[in-house]
Amino acid sequence: MEKDPIKVTRYLLHKCTFYGDLITNLKMQKLLYYVYVRCLVTSGEQCFKHKFQAWPNGPVYPIVYKKLKKYKASPIGEEFMELEKKSNLKVLTDDLGSDFVALIDKVYEKYGLKSAFELVALTHSEAPWKNAIQNKKKEISNEDILETYGKPKK
């Protein structure tokens, strides 16, 4: 079920822009993390090739972070979406698949209206990030995620 994290980022940026939310790299990292969590909990599979890393401001997916770091603390520019034409959004959602788009939409409904700093506080209060930081682990463990958020139903 591996998905391209850049495409997921573009779709999330589209959602945020559609609802008038200016989103920073910091907030995007947290939304991507919760997409990863929901996918792992519902399917038992990672949706991205690599695990999230435990950084001081919470979970980070380094590949996406590097692509977005040029925006610093400013909102991510709409040009990053690469959705100049409406048909490009259809191609993007087709690539992600309707079930996965529905999963992203659920994550956005639950976490999208929270500020970046509310999401940082939330991830800092949860065991997967705390355990990785306390144990000086670079990656956040899938086992900790499943123990905290629930195991997939078979």
Side-chain angles (χ1 to χ4, degrees):
M1 144 134 2
E2 194 175 300
K3 302 295 179 183
D4 180 345
I6 299 300
K7 288 181 180 177
V8 175
T9 300
R10 287 187 172 126
Y11 181 74
L12 277 166
L13 182 57
H14 163 72
K15 289 286 290 186
C16 292
T17 303
F18 181 81
Y19 289 106
D21 185 15
L22 300 175
I23 183 169
T24 62
N25 192 0
L26 183 64
K27 182 172 178 177
M28 181 62 75
Q29 294 299 322
K30 306 316 162 251
L31 291 176
L32 284 172
Y33 172 71
Y34 285 117
V35 167
Y36 181 92
V37 165
R38 182 170 283 252
C39 182
L40 189 62
V41 167
T42 58
S43 73
E45 297 179 37
Q46 291 183 194
C47 58
F48 304 138
K49 183 176 181 177
H50 305 287
K51 294 177 183 172
F52 272 75
Q53 292 184 0
W55 287 21
N57 284 326
V60 170
Y61 201 77
I63 293 165
V64 174
Y65 176 83
K66 287 175 188 161
K67 289 267 188 194
L68 299 177
K69 75 178 183 178
K70 67 182 176 184
Y71 297 103
K72 299 181 179 157
S74 298
I76 301 165
E78 287 185 35
E79 74 281 351
F80 187 81
M81 282 189 287
E82 296 183 359
L83 298 176
E84 297 82 25
K85 297 183 222 156
K86 206 171 195 175
S87 61
N88 293 0
L89 177 60
K90 175 147 179 34
V91 169
L92 179 62
T93 56
D94 287 350
D95 283 352
L96 292 171
S98 60
D99 288 345
F100 197 73
V101 167
L103 181 145
I104 297 168
D105 289 345
K106 284 185 178 141
V107 168
Y108 184 79
E109 287 170 22
K110 184 167 184 176
Y111 300 102
L113 296 179
K114 295 185 184 306
S115 74
F117 296 103
E118 288 174 306
L119 292 171
V120 167
L122 185 60
T123 58
H124 280 202
S125 72
E126 296 168 341
W129 179 85
K130 287 189 339 188
N131 291 347
I133 291 294
Q134 288 169 354
N135 296 320
K136 297 184 178 13
K137 301 279 184 192
K138 188 165 109 173
E139 291 183 336
I140 295 174
S141 129
N142 286 344
E143 292 76 22
D144 283 346
I145 289 172
L146 291 170
E147 274 192 33
T148 300
Y149 303 102
K151 299 197 186 293
K153 294 176 179 50
K154 304 244 176 188

